[in-house]
Every structure is written in structure tokens, then in C-alpha cells.
Amino acid sequence: QVQLVESGGGLIQAGGSLKLSCAASGRTFSPATMGWFRQAPGKEREFVAAIRWSAGNTYYIDSVKGRFTISRDNAKNTVYLQMNSLKPEDTAAYYCAAARYWSGSYYLSESYTYWGQGTQVTVSS
């Protein structure tokens, strides 16, 4: 079983930066893709970013392109989300997820098998 634990969330003013981490543990961890999703109160969970574990290809939702960067450290089994120029509309619970197989539908939550418990990001105006 794979466990994902997020950290790094918090309260920050608009324009500031945060770096989220997601550490994976469990039996041999070799995902095809790692992703970050977020869910704001009253809204559906939405895709934020994804990275192919071996090749390192990255993918982003348009609203975060140029502000957020997803990266991974294969040796530490950890994926990161560097968030810069944060806006109040980025406020949400952020979840990391791991997919066992690559899918062109990396932006769909159904493509992922394992999920973390989430970390709250609150951006004040």
C-alpha cells in the first residue's frame, strides 16, 4: 500500500509564495504520474499540475501556468509544488495523487489510485 503525506500549506498574503511537498511511503513506489489537485469550498476538485515520474514531463492548468512549478525528487519519493504570485482564488485544500499507469487523461482524478489527506492553502487579499 502507498501512503502520500502532504505538507507546506498555510495562510499567506496575495503575491506570496508557498512550496508544498508530498512524500510517498510504502512498498516499492514507482508511479507513472504524480499530480496535484485542489478543492475550494463548494467547488469540485480540479486538476492543478502533473509530472511524469521517470521522464519529468510537466503539465499545468492554464490558471497556474507561469506561477506554479511541479517537480520531483525520485530518490526521496517526493513531489513538490512551488507556488508563486499566489492569488485569493488559489485558496483551496491541495491534494497530491499518484497514478500507477500513464494516461493522457492525467487531468482527471479518476486516473489516480492513491491520494494524500490534503493540505490547506489560504491566500488573503
Side-chain angles (χ1 to χ4, degrees), residues 2-66:
V2 173
Q3 291 184 322
L4 304 176
V5 179
E6 302 99 333
S7 61
L11 173 63
I12 194 162
Q13 288 190 331
S17 297
L18 281 175
K19 186 173 185 177
L20 305 183
S21 299
C22 173
S25 62
R27 67 188 189 95
T28 305
F29 181 70
S30 182
T33 311
M34 293 291 294
W36 286 97
F37 288 74
R38 66 186 179 187
Q39 187 168 19
K43 295 187 177 182
E44 293 187 354
R45 186 173 298 186
E46 69 170 354
F47 167 77
V48 176
I51 186 166
R52 294 190 72 167
W53 195 249
S54 58
N57 305 67
T58 58
Y59 309 88
Y60 300 93
I61 192 174
D62 284 347
S63 60
V64 307
K65 285 181 180 178

Side-chain angles (χ1 to χ4, degrees), residues 3 14 18 21 32 45 47 65 74-76 81 88-90 94-95 107 114 119:
Q3 291 184 322
L18 281 175
S21 299
R45 186 173 298 186
F47 167 77
K65 285 181 180 178
N74 299 59
K76 295 182 178 180
L81 186 67
E89 51 264 43
D90 294 318
Y94 282 71
Y95 300 87
Y107 50 89
Y114 305 104
T119 186

Side-chain angles (χ1 to χ4, degrees), residues 12-16 85-88 123-125:
I12 194 162
Q13 288 190 331
S85 302
L86 282 161
K87 304 176 181 180
V123 184
S124 63
S125 58

Side-chain angles (χ1 to χ4, degrees), residues 52-124:
R52 294 190 72 167
W53 195 249
S54 58
N57 305 67
T58 58
Y59 309 88
Y60 300 93
I61 192 174
D62 284 347
S63 60
V64 307
K65 285 181 180 178
R67 300 190 298 123
F68 290 11
T69 302
I70 187 171
S71 61
R72 88 278 191 232
D73 185 327
N74 299 59
K76 295 182 178 180
N77 285 344
T78 300
V79 64
Y80 305 97
L81 186 67
Q82 177 68 47
M83 305 185 295
N84 299 328
S85 302
L86 282 161
K87 304 176 181 180
E89 51 264 43
D90 294 318
T91 294
Y94 282 71
Y95 300 87
C96 74
R100 290 185 292 181
Y101 309 106
W102 165 251
S103 168
S105 300
Y106 54 82
Y107 50 89
L108 296 178
S109 58
E110 291 80 4
S111 298
Y112 297 82
T113 304
Y114 305 104
W115 291 84
Q117 82 289 350
T119 186
Q120 179 67 34
V121 173
T122 302
V123 184
S124 63

